[in-house]
Amino acid sequence: MHHHLFIFNFDVKKFILNTALFIVLLSILVLAIHVFFDSFYDLKNEQAIYVWGDSQMYYGLDLENISNNTRREVYSFAQEGSGIYEFLNFVESVPRECTVLISISDPLVLRDRNKERNLTGYDFGVLNEMYKEGYEFMNCFNIVMENIRPRKPWHQSVQLLPALDHLTITEPMSYYLGFYSRISEDYDIRLRLIKNGLRRLKEKSCKIINIDFPYHHELKNKVESRDVRQNLAEAKRGIFIGDFGFIMRSENIECSPTCMFDYTHLNGIGAKNVSELVVKSLDANNSGTFLYIE
Amino acid sequence: MLFNSIDFAIFFPIVFALYWFVFGRSRRSQNVLILVASLFFYAYWDWRFIAIILISITTDYVCGLWIEKSKTIQFKRSWLALSIALNLGLLCVFKYFNFFVDSFIEVFRMFGSNLEGPAIRVILPIGISFYTFQSLSYSIEVYRGRLKPTKNFLAFSSYVSFFPQLLAGPIEKARNLLPQFLSKREFDYSQAVSGMQQTLWGLFKKVVIADNCAYFVDHCFENPMGLNSPTLFLGILCFGFQIYCDFSGYSDMAVGMAKLFGIRLQQNFRSPYFSRSIIDFWRRWHVSLMEWLKDYVYIPLGGGRVSSIKVYRNILIVFLVSGLWHGANWTFVIWGFAHGIVFIMYKIIRKRRLQTESVAKTVLSIIITFLLVNILWVPFRSENLNEASTYFIQLFQFDFSGGLQFPRMTRFIVLWTLIPLMMAIDRFTDDADNPLGTFCNNWPLILRRSLYLIIALLILFVGGDASPFIYFQF
């Protein structure tokens, strides 16, 4: 008697079809809710200032100070642990001819894929771009799954970190040194994606300021001579200044007793100082500034 | 691999499709797939502990056969003793080793000794309390002559390791579940729909209620000293709903998924928070464990057919075992002991009064039992006895100053809007093992599907941060 590998079972097929139909309906509903949500938070104000970065940017700018000094709305998309998907999503979200403040930090390039925070809703074009540049299907799938719940993508004020007379140890030194221990496998992919994002912002005729936030001198002394740090600094300058013609501006900030809250984050006083420098840079008549803070 | 993880969402449909489309030809091939899938499921967490399940399975399989073959009662007893010793031995080593050693050292330190603990800490294999008890029930049933031992090793292995209920039960008795693995399963469309309804409902309870409650529970138990009494009281209620929805949610998913494989598991919860007494509560909460303890601990000790004092002793032993079964920590022992004492007190009071059933009295009994059970969750949730006593001291300060001290009040309000709705639907479990189905099966199709969609959307949009099931640690 001849046996087929597969068994035909009408009831099972009917059950699977009904379940699949339910999942399709559910997916359509989820997408519809996302479209509604996105339209609700859609930003069209080209006079506004749009901010993106990870925790250094989140705690490193006094949004209200910038808003008051420029008399413009400030929308910050900065979040702790922000990933490359959030950057590209941000680039797609901002209106043409707007002003953007970004911070391409070292961890953005060096952080593990599974430690990236990529929670700014759906943009399947961006996912496709990431996939083409080398992200795996499962990475993109995980981003889709993690973004099922819509979230408000921006905020307009931040509780800045307190100015204390001592350094707070939120993570041990080894945590930060870990970033610079080797060139991550995503290094080239991320740099390519950053370039793509900047190109897109340029196409939108946006005025861009990239802020390079300082490290505490203890950390800086330990990482400055490392190959990864030097390579990355060179690569970033190559992209911003070499490829996109940004103007380099180095600035010192002075605070008493310190500008830093921990090894990598500015405290409230430091954030205010940087915000004032940013306001000055906004007045400058060039489309791209690389603001290096020391 | 958690039921509420993406990994499981990929694993389960593959196993389901293979089970019915490729391996559905015979009982043997169905069992092969179940066993392989179950071992893979367990190994996904830690492959090294596969050996423990296999030891438990092989021991009880062999002991079952030898118990029947043995001619004298002494030999039968010896084989049963081997099965008990091995299963409980595994539990003692892997679950209680750290606890016994730490307690031993603590006692010595009280007398001034400077004894150091061993450098080795034993890792607890997930679900060990569940599958060792399930496997053990087989040897005991065979010994008692209630069950013929099976020669089918494959079916027996599938019975012990069946993945939907492997990690947190229900603890199935061999006479209920094993025969199902000894015959070929046929797909039943209505059972499969019922299974999906139950799985969806379990997922809702876990992700929407339990995981959201966890946020507020952690807030209260991490720093009770800074909180007022109403906040701490609501923190306790939140834990009551967290543990109920976490565990009964898991059970619903386990029973529901088993139905999709043509397997019927027993109902583990019957609306326990609608109990009219603590005795009633223990007939409705974690039914499979309480039946196990009744059959294999309480009755062998003499059950209720001995003097009152001995009955009370037996009850106390059962609850102490239940407490210790839950975890290797004095907090669980105290929790079990407290339940035992309340159970005995209720038994004494009930003997001395006439039973009258007015609506008001019933409602009052339900409220009192609910509050009592919830208050007793405090030691269960606490990390240690100090933490539990701090919580109680702070709670009974009767500090009503300020409002509720919860962060994210909107989330709190949404949660407490959903809890009564969940309880209302779950009330149907009293008579049926599928509350959602019982609630909506008579509705028109379009309304029923809309309800499923709403529940699925709530799971996706309102769910708390994903966390492992609490009972996995037991």
Side-chain angles (χ1 to χ4, degrees):
Chain A
M1 199 173 133
H2 181 69
H3 277 287
H4 291 285
L5 176 63
F6 293 100
I7 305 157
F8 180 82
N9 187 323
F10 180 74
D11 277 349
V12 184
K13 281 192 175 174
K14 185 177 147 197
F15 176 76
I16 289 176
L17 275 176
N18 276 336
T19 310
L21 186 69
F22 177 77
I23 291 167
V24 169
L25 258 174
L26 183 64
S27 307
I28 292 170
L29 258 176
V30 168
L31 287 177
I33 289 168
H34 270 270
V35 170
F36 171 75
F37 202 83
D38 288 349
S39 68
F40 192 72
Y41 286 112
D42 194 17
L43 296 168
K44 294 194 176 78
N45 180 0
E46 64 219 25
Q47 288 305 309
I49 298 166
Y50 298 94
V51 178
W52 178 86
D54 60 13
S55 57
Q56 278 192 306
M57 183 64 123
Y58 184 87
Y59 293 115
L61 283 188
D62 184 341
L63 303 180
E64 283 160 356
N65 181 303
I66 295 175
S67 180
N68 291 338
N69 284 321
T70 57
R71 296 173 188 272
R72 292 159 76 177
E73 296 275 357
V74 180
Y75 297 96
S76 175
F77 291 70
Q79 290 292 346
E80 292 191 38
S82 247
I84 197 75
Y85 173 75
E86 292 198 346
F87 172 60
L88 297 171
N89 210 346
F90 166 79
V91 165
E92 295 300 328
S93 310
V94 293
R96 293 184 66 82
E97 296 176 6
C98 67
T99 303
V100 295
L101 309 178
I102 57 173
S103 173
I104 304 296
S105 70
D106 290 3
L108 173 77
V109 183
L110 303 171
R111 191 181 279 121
D112 272 3
R113 281 182 195 184
N114 54 10
K115 287 183 182 156
E116 283 185 316
R117 180 196 180 277
N118 283 317
L119 303 175
T120 41
Y122 289 135
D123 190 318
F124 292 101
V126 168
L127 284 173
N128 186 35
E129 186 182 341
M130 287 170 68
Y131 179 68
K132 279 184 184 161
E133 289 291 355
Y135 267 71
E136 286 162 18
F137 174 78
M138 276 313 287
N139 299 128
C140 298
F141 181 71
N142 281 338
I143 292 174
V144 171
M145 295 310 288
E146 282 165 10
N147 275 287
I148 283 179
R149 189 184 306 177
R151 292 167 179 84
K152 183 183 171 186
W154 45 261
H155 50 271
Q156 291 189 285
S157 63
V158 174
Q159 175 90 44
L160 296 172
L161 294 169
L164 306 171
D165 57 0
H166 60 273
L167 201 67
T168 307
I169 307 297
T170 42
E171 298 284 356
M173 177 72 82
S174 56
Y175 169 79
Y176 302 102
L177 296 179
F179 284 115
Y180 300 97
S181 59
R182 63 183 177 85
I183 296 264
S184 83
E185 55 188 299
D186 292 335
Y187 187 84
D188 292 329
I189 300 172
R190 298 252 176 91
L191 291 180
R192 281 201 301 274
L193 288 168
I194 288 165
K195 260 190 196 179
N196 293 352
L198 290 173
R199 193 173 299 123
R200 185 87 185 98
L201 284 175
K202 282 282 180 190
E203 283 166 9
K204 284 186 167 183
S205 308
C206 293
K207 179 172 180 151
I208 312 163
I209 297 177
N210 177 68
I211 307 169
D212 208 283
F213 284 97
Y215 281 170
H216 187 267
H217 62 86
E218 279 180 35
L219 177 62
K220 192 179 171 187
N221 292 343
K222 289 209 166 153
V223 297
E224 211 58 16
S225 59
R226 296 204 173 198
D227 289 347
V228 177
R229 169 83 166 171
Q230 288 177 356
N231 283 342
L232 186 52
E234 209 171 295
K236 280 202 270 186
R237 282 177 191 161
I239 293 171
F240 282 103
I241 299 161
D243 297 345
F244 291 99
F246 277 49
I247 304 294
M248 176 82 174
R249 235 182 103 185
S250 280
E251 296 280 359
N252 272 306
I253 50 167
E254 299 285 339
C255 323
S256 176
T258 172
C259 291
M260 303 302 291
F261 173 77
D262 58 21
Y263 287 126
T264 54
H265 300 115
L266 292 171
N267 61 27
I269 299 175
K272 203 170 174 191
N273 283 351
V274 171
S275 303
E276 279 160 11
L277 291 173
V278 166
V279 173
K280 276 187 204 163
S281 296
L282 286 171
D283 294 337
N285 193 23
N286 54 287
S287 63
T289 306
F290 189 103
L291 187 57
Y292 183 79
I293 313 282
E294 287 194 84
Chain B
M1 208 186 317
L2 299 174
F3 285 174
N4 51 336
S5 68
I6 293 171
D7 299 352
F8 191 78
I10 296 167
F11 166 81
F12 188 82
I14 293 171
V15 177
F16 177 80
L18 286 174
Y19 186 79
W20 293 114
F21 288 131
V22 180
F23 289 79
R25 209 174 294 282
S26 69
R27 174 197 72 190
R28 187 183 154 78
S29 55
Q30 285 178 329
N31 286 346
V32 166
L33 181 70
I34 289 287
L35 182 61
V36 170
S38 299
L39 293 180
F40 174 81
F41 175 78
Y42 199 69
Y44 200 81
W45 170 67
D46 192 332
W47 62 270
R48 290 167 301 176
F49 291 123
I50 286 285
I52 301 172
I53 297 191
L54 292 178
I55 289 170
S56 193
I57 289 171
T58 314
T59 307
D60 290 312
Y61 173 76
V62 172
C63 287
L65 290 175
W66 279 101
I67 287 169
E68 204 203 25
K69 273 188 189 172
S70 301
K71 296 273 187 305
T72 65
I73 192 76
Q74 281 85 358
F75 275 117
K76 283 182 192 288
R77 265 193 202 145
S78 304
W79 284 108
L80 177 67
L82 175 69
S83 164
I84 293 172
L86 213 124
N87 280 297
L88 295 187
L90 286 174
L91 260 185
C92 282
V93 170
F94 286 98
K95 187 165 179 175
Y96 300 108
F97 177 80
N98 297 338
F99 173 64
F100 288 139
V101 168
D102 291 345
S103 302
F104 188 71
I105 290 168
E106 205 54 46
V107 169
F108 267 79
R109 281 191 183 149
M110 279 165 64
F111 292 103
S113 163
N114 205 9
L115 210 59
E116 284 298 316
I120 300 169
R121 304 299 290 178
V122 179
I123 306 168
L124 177 70
I126 196 166
I128 188 169
S129 312
F130 290 92
Y131 63 75
T132 46
F133 267 41
Q134 179 158 313
S135 187
L136 194 53
S137 86
Y138 168 78
S139 310
I140 301 173
E141 293 288 292
V142 172
Y143 173 79
R144 287 179 176 176
R146 289 186 192 166
L147 186 73
K148 289 284 284 177
T150 180
K151 287 179 183 164
N152 189 332
F153 183 71
L154 188 60
F156 182 72
S157 311
S158 306
Y159 150 70
V160 177
S161 66
F162 186 43
F163 74 87
Q165 46 97 241
L166 174 63
L167 301 182
I171 303 167
E172 287 290 340
K173 289 207 193 73
R175 63 172 184 268
N176 170 37
L177 187 54
L178 182 57
Q180 298 186 58
F181 285 102
L182 292 169
S183 54
K184 183 172 175 269
R185 276 78 68 189
E186 299 294 343
F187 187 81
D188 179 333
Y189 188 84
S190 62
Q191 275 305 301
V193 171
S194 166
M196 281 300 276
Q197 288 172 327
Q198 213 165 340
T199 306
L200 185 68
W201 186 238
L203 202 57
F204 170 80
K205 286 203 290 192
K206 162 67 182 160
V207 175
V208 178
I209 308 291
D211 286 350
N212 273 310
C213 280
Y215 177 78
F216 300 105
V217 172
D218 292 348
H219 170 74
C220 290
F221 277 82
E222 271 163 18
N223 181 24
M225 291 302 284
L227 302 172
N228 61 21
S229 299
T231 307
L232 292 175
F233 176 71
L234 283 172
I236 295 174
L237 297 192
C238 279
F239 182 68
F241 285 108
Q242 182 196 351
I243 192 155
Y244 171 62
C245 289
D246 190 284
F247 192 20
S248 73
Y250 175 91
S251 295
D252 281 333
M253 282 187 260
V255 175
M257 283 187 275
K259 280 181 187 170
L260 294 172
F261 290 105
I263 298 283
R264 296 298 298 257
L265 299 179
Q266 82 170 103
Q267 199 183 338
N268 219 9
F269 290 86
R270 297 191 188 104
S271 308
Y273 287 152
F274 288 94
S275 305
R276 278 175 274 183
S277 69
I278 203 82
I279 296 177
D280 194 21
F281 175 80
W282 281 108
R283 285 192 200 112
R284 295 158 174 263
W285 180 275
H286 203 175
V287 177
S288 63
L289 175 70
M290 290 322 282
E291 283 182 1
W292 198 100
L293 291 173
K294 184 181 151 200
D295 282 0
Y296 306 132
V297 179
Y298 182 70
I299 290 173
L301 285 169
R305 296 182 176 184
V306 284
S307 66
S308 292
I309 295 294
K310 282 188 176 168
V311 170
Y312 301 148
R313 178 205 64 185
N314 296 345
I315 290 169
L316 211 51
I317 289 172
V318 165
F319 278 100
L320 282 172
V321 172
S322 161
L324 206 55
W325 177 90
H326 277 86
N329 193 328
W330 287 108
T331 51
F332 296 114
V333 178
I334 293 292
W335 170 77
F337 180 76
H339 266 279
I341 294 292
V342 175
F343 195 101
I344 292 165
M345 280 167 62
Y346 186 81
K347 243 179 143 41
I348 294 169
I349 294 166
R350 199 176 61 167
K351 264 187 186 176
R352 294 184 183 166
R353 64 174 187 186
L354 285 170
Q355 293 290 300
T356 50
E357 292 288 333
S358 67
V359 175
K361 196 182 160 195
T362 303
V363 171
L364 192 65
S365 308
I366 289 172
I367 292 170
I368 290 171
T369 308
F370 174 76
L371 292 176
L372 192 61
V373 167
N374 274 275
I375 289 290
L376 291 179
W377 285 128
V378 173
F380 192 98
R381 170 59 178 78
S382 302
E383 295 287 322
N384 51 53
L385 295 178
N386 262 347
E387 199 179 297
S389 59
T390 306
Y391 201 100
F392 277 130
I393 289 167
Q394 194 62 21
L395 175 69
F396 292 113
Q397 296 281 330
F398 298 112
D399 169 15
F400 295 98
S401 58
L404 288 178
Q405 297 163 310
F406 285 115
R408 302 172 81 171
M409 276 308 283
T410 316
R411 189 168 166 180
F412 187 78
I413 292 163
V414 170
L415 173 66
W416 281 92
T417 311
L418 290 170
I419 285 175
L421 293 174
M422 179 276 297
M423 289 299 282
I425 295 178
D426 220 36
R427 183 76 183 93
F428 285 84
T429 44
D430 221 13
D431 305 305
D433 71 346
N434 174 14
L436 186 61
T438 313
F439 179 69
C440 70
N441 273 351
N442 294 330
W443 294 12
L445 187 67
I446 184 90
L447 281 182
R448 221 181 319 146
R449 294 212 168 145
S450 303
L451 178 67
Y452 303 154
L453 279 173
I454 290 168
I455 292 173
L457 287 174
L458 284 171
I459 291 169
L460 294 175
F461 291 160
V462 188
D465 299 330
S467 60
F469 291 90
I470 296 173
Y471 265 70
F472 278 11
Q473 65 184 295
F474 307 142

